Amino acid sequence: MRELTYIAAISEAISHEMERDPDVLVLGEDVGGDFGGAFKVTKGLAARFGDRRVLNTPLAEQSFIGMANGMALMGLRPIVEVQFADFISTGFDSIVQSAATIHYRFGGKVPWVIRAPSDGGIRSGPFHSQNPEAWFVHTPGLKVVAPSNPADAKGLLCSAVRDPNPVIYFEAKPLYRSLRGPVPDGEHLVPIGEAKVVRPGTDLTVVAYGSQVSQALAAATDLAADRIEAEVVDLRSLKPLDFETVAKSVSRTSRALVVHSANRLAGVGAEVSARISEECFEWLDAPVTRLGGLDVPVPFSPPLEDAYRPDAHKIAAAARRLAAY
Amino acid sequence: MSDPLGSQIREALFAAPARPDEPEPQPESGEAPADLPDDLRIDLYRWMRLTRTLDNTMVDMWKQGRGLGGTFSGRGHEGISVPMAMALGPDDVIAPMHRDVGSYLVRGMTPARVFGNLLGRVTGPSEGRDANLHGMGDLSLGIIGYVSHIPQQIPITLGMAMSFRYRGEPRVALTACGDGGTTTGPYHESLNMAALYSAPMVLVVQNNQYAYSTPLDQQMATFAITERAAAYGLTARTEDGNDVEAMFRSIKAAVDRARSGGGPTVIEARTMRMLGHAIHDGAEYVPRELLERWEARDPVDHQRRRLLSEGVSGEAGLAEIDAWARAEINAAVAEAEAAPFPDPGTVSDRIYA
């Protein structure tokens, strides 16, 4: 199978969906024209599909996301780019108060996707490195996905565009051009709400998503040299969460390590950890362990940022402690 | 387009000191509404009377302890909410605010469904999921439910208008906010984008002098709501919000303009919130004489007097409408009070489409 970078898989998913459905359009800051967005994800789309379907917006996250709510209520399927996931807070009301509640309150459908380039490790400081997924997982009515590899990046985005609900798609920008992988040509859907065991193992379960899946796989290779076989579960969807796949894995390994780049405190891992403790208690041979960002803004300078975020070394060290418990 | 009333109001507005103690009610226009057919003029009265009767009944019920939670009176706003919906075509959409019961009724939501929502019954448009006059959306009637986070309805309306432009459909989206809404970020963002994209939308700013307890002169340094909208490149007009016929003409012209590709319009409708912000609020902070002056210009009474004095309808005809409204609302309350509450087993239903 041909290989694509993670970012090329995202671009391919967008053009695939725009080709398939005339109701799909793209909007956001700098997405249009020849420029094609801060990361060039939408480059070439305006030339191919016309300015009507690739709409540049002014700096106004609250209102262009609100505008997407109105478009979606009328049956369009906007793919909204917030230039960095960090800026999604500027549009918070339009997402959590409006889009997320509309179907519950009066039955309207809001089938948009917000693409949120997230995550750090690329020396971008407090406002271009964040992982704000927990805010949205905490909000009833939204769906949240976070692909870890090029094939899932395409398959989850295509599924998100076709989903009748508001879906926030956290793409991991450290993977944009650093990760290549096989991506099916043409139609390729990854169902929202399905986790995947990406490496089988017997000694412990590492639950991760987004960029930390690569780190977990690298750690697992390292651990295998010490004859510790880690099973890696890629959540892929954070809401709805496929806890069944997590529970099945933990019931086999009896040890669980939950990892994400976002702040550990009240992060998605806290929910996963709590559910393992509540629902897999009888199988556990050790307390559930969590790794996540520190309770500080994402710092800029390399030694500080490295101290802030999990990586393969920290995952391997935590896994060794857990395996030895 | 001639705009004599708008000019009068603007003159009065800018002749005033920068921070008057209180906003002055605007003079009656006195112009003859020769362009509106008699049956439409009577219909405007009919829907205003039904709206006022619903409002009065709702306020009475809440004072009697027959209500549920809080609610919001739209008394004094009927001359705006009714023509907002009457000026639209069947395929247009409207995102009313919480003082716009008239818009819901004109659009086809029955008073029984409105009371069903107010009383948390399964028969309300939100099926017990949203409170009082919020979340009363019904897409089959082209109505979007209200969100408390003012003015979320404006960017939503912009988006609906943009969907019509995207698909080349001759449809228009209309919404409203209060004077308080005009001080928010999304108001200015959305007006800028509406003008930028020439979106087929109409925004009615219901300037009712108060955002909860805060009067206009504590909200903004100049009262130039219309001029600020015009500065973004929108068509903007000031109207007497208590003159239902002037409001109808103005909104209809804006809707027609939007439909024919002429872009968005903001209409500032100057009116007065005649009761508190919500049912619990006695509005002691509003000077009584201000309310008395606006009471003398009550939009429902004003239209009634005009129909009589201009011979459009006789007393008997209008009394018949008043009795019809009374009977409709009585029946609606009875139906809503007899309706079931939602089944608690459905609490998690409809979280996803």
Side-chain angles (χ1 to χ4, degrees):
Chain A
M1 196 183 295
R2 85 223 157 107
E3 295 206 334
L4 291 180
T5 59
Y6 185 93
I7 195 167
I10 295 170
S11 299
E12 184 172 284
I14 298 171
S15 54
H16 182 77
E17 290 305 297
M18 290 180 78
E19 190 69 55
R20 188 187 58 78
D21 182 352
D23 285 339
V24 176
L25 73 154
V26 167
L27 65 92
E29 292 159 3
D30 305 302
V31 296
D34 295 333
F35 187 70
F39 294 102
K40 308 296 176 198
V41 170
T42 57
K43 191 166 177 60
L45 290 179
R48 185 166 165 197
F49 296 104
D51 294 336
R52 187 178 73 102
R53 297 184 66 189
V54 189
L55 185 65
N56 258 349
T57 67
L59 269 69
E61 280 83 358
Q62 175 103 245
S63 290
F64 70 67
I65 295 172
M67 178 171 77
N69 293 348
M71 289 173 157
L73 272 165
M74 295 292 105
L76 296 183
R77 292 180 178 264
I79 304 174
V80 182
E81 177 176 306
V82 292
Q83 200 155 72
F84 286 80
D86 312 60
F87 304 154
I88 204 168
S89 53
T90 311
F92 205 52
D93 276 354
S94 295
I95 301 169
V96 307
Q97 306 294 352
S98 186
T101 65
I102 281 172
H103 191 66
Y104 190 70
R105 294 185 305 120
F106 62 91
K109 292 178 187 168
V110 187
W112 55 232
V113 181
I114 292 180
R115 289 182 37 243
S118 62
D119 213 342
I122 52 173
R123 315 319 184 196
S124 297
F127 304 118
H128 296 76
S129 305
Q130 294 172 24
N131 293 280
E133 62 269 16
W135 296 342
F136 304 103
V137 172
H138 195 67
T139 301
L142 298 176
K143 293 188 178 180
V144 182
V145 299
S148 71
N149 62 74
D152 286 356
K154 177 176 176 180
L156 279 171
L157 185 48
C158 291
S159 292
V161 170
R162 300 180 201 188
D163 197 283
N165 300 284
V167 182
I168 304 188
Y169 177 93
F170 283 100
E171 51 198 53
K173 60 185 188 292
L175 304 182
Y176 270 167
R177 292 176 176 85
S178 69
L179 187 64
R180 295 179 74 84
V183 178
D185 245 327
E187 183 82 354
H188 170 57
L189 295 172
V190 171
I192 293 174
E194 284 189 14
K196 187 180 179 186
V197 176
V198 291
R199 183 191 192 280
T202 50
D203 299 326
L204 76 153
T205 299
V206 182
V207 181
Y209 57 88
S211 76
Q212 294 296 338
V213 172
S214 305
Q215 300 297 314
L217 289 170
T221 304
D222 183 20
L223 292 165
D226 293 345
R227 302 201 174 162
I228 299 170
E229 290 299 331
E231 179 148 301
V232 179
V233 175
D234 179 358
L235 288 177
R236 306 200 291 188
S237 292
L238 308 182
K239 185 172 196 167
L241 183 75
D242 175 10
F243 187 71
E244 202 181 320
T245 296
V246 174
K248 267 189 198 156
S249 175
V250 172
S251 71
R252 286 194 301 269
T253 64
S254 301
R255 287 174 166 79
L257 169 61
V258 187
V259 187
H260 50 60
S261 301
N263 309 20
R264 197 179 81 141
L265 181 72
V268 171
E271 175 68 17
V272 174
S273 169
R275 287 194 64 183
I276 294 171
S277 299
E278 285 170 358
E279 298 175 40
C280 308
F281 185 76
E282 311 267 314
W283 290 308
L284 286 175
D285 289 339
V288 183
T289 303
R290 284 182 294 147
L291 279 181
L294 304 180
D295 190 25
V296 301
V298 185
F300 169 57
S301 186
L304 297 179
E305 189 179 22
D306 293 346
Y308 164 84
R309 55 186 284 115
D311 57 25
H313 293 297
K314 294 178 190 174
I315 294 170
R320 285 194 177 89
R321 287 193 296 274
L322 188 59
Y325 183 89
Chain B
M1 179 172 296
S2 82
D3 181 21
L5 180 59
S7 306
Q8 278 178 32
I9 291 174
R10 268 191 291 279
E11 274 173 33
L13 214 58
F14 289 102
R19 289 177 178 275
D21 291 331
E22 61 193 41
E24 290 295 320
Q26 300 308 309
E28 305 266 352
S29 77
E31 65 180 313
D35 56 331
L36 298 185
D38 285 356
D39 56 349
L40 174 63
R41 300 175 68 187
I42 294 170
D43 268 354
L44 288 168
Y45 175 76
R46 184 192 319 279
W47 288 111
M48 283 204 296
R49 174 55 66 197
L50 186 67
T51 306
R52 172 63 58 84
T53 306
L54 188 156
D55 197 277
N56 284 343
T57 303
M58 173 183 75
V59 170
D60 287 348
M61 285 169 66
W62 261 248
K63 287 181 175 169
Q64 293 159 4
R66 288 163 70 197
L68 183 67
T71 193
F72 298 87
S73 168
R75 188 185 179 90
H77 289 243
E78 298 88 344
I80 306 169
S81 65
V82 164
M84 269 171 33
M86 286 191 67
L88 293 176
D91 294 330
D92 296 337
V93 290
I94 185 168
M97 60 175 215
H98 55 312
R99 301 194 201 281
D100 293 336
V101 165
S103 301
Y104 291 91
L105 298 178
V106 170
R107 208 64 207 174
M109 189 172 290
T110 63
R113 291 183 74 201
V114 174
F115 276 107
N117 213 69
L118 286 161
L119 296 173
R121 307 305 164 108
V122 75
T123 52
S126 83
E127 297 176 23
R129 280 152 166 74
D130 206 346
N132 49 63
L133 299 166
H134 296 67
M136 294 210 304
D138 184 336
L139 288 168
S140 73
L141 302 175
I143 301 173
I144 303 302
Y146 188 62
V147 185
S148 296
H149 292 64
I150 293 167
Q152 269 292 324
Q153 66 275 17
I154 301 179
I156 286 175
T157 301
L158 167 65
M160 295 193 294
M162 289 297 284
S163 80
F164 304 151
R165 220 197 67 164
Y166 183 89
R167 288 170 163 161
E169 297 171 335
R171 301 167 69 187
V172 175
L174 182 147
T175 191
C177 70
D179 43 294
T182 73
T183 61
T184 66
Y187 176 86
H188 294 275
E189 292 177 357
S190 294
L191 262 55
N192 178 53
M193 290 165 74
L196 178 68
Y197 300 139
S198 196
M201 69 178 279
V202 178
L203 166 63
V204 180
V205 176
Q206 305 187 12
N207 178 356
N208 66 10
Q209 321 294 339
Y210 283 83
Y212 205 146
S213 75
T214 305
L216 217 52
D217 65 349
Q218 292 177 33
Q219 298 181 56
M220 51 193 83
T222 74
F223 301 153
I225 289 172
T226 306
E227 282 67 19
R228 273 194 287 273
Y232 286 114
L234 292 96
T235 304
R237 297 166 58 95
T238 308
E239 297 290 358
D240 178 353
N242 283 28
D243 179 344
V244 70
E245 296 189 2
M247 284 307 304
F248 179 85
R249 283 197 299 275
S250 190
I251 298 170
K252 183 70 166 60
V255 168
D256 291 347
R257 184 163 48 246
R259 200 185 308 287
S260 62
T265 300
V266 169
I267 299 167
E268 180 196 355
R270 291 177 61 89
T271 186
M272 180 72 205
R273 192 192 73 205
M274 297 305 291
L275 296 176
H277 166 68
I279 194 77
H280 66 275
D281 174 23
E284 295 81 3
Y285 46 81
V286 178
R288 295 297 105 171
E289 68 271 17
L290 182 62
L291 289 171
E292 283 162 18
R293 284 215 304 279
W294 281 93
E295 185 64 42
R297 304 182 62 255
D298 180 87
V300 188
D301 293 347
H302 178 229
Q303 182 67 358
R304 199 176 205 286
R305 283 197 305 273
R306 181 155 56 188
L307 294 177
L308 290 172
S309 70
E310 294 180 17
V312 179
S313 178
E315 177 61 42
L318 297 182
E320 199 176 304
I321 289 174
D322 298 347
W324 162 81
R326 183 72 265 154
E328 284 286 310
I329 298 304
N330 285 345
V333 170
E335 184 181 331
E337 287 188 324
F341 283 102
D343 176 350
T346 66
V347 65
S348 294
D349 290 358
R350 214 172 71 188
I351 193 68
Y352 290 123

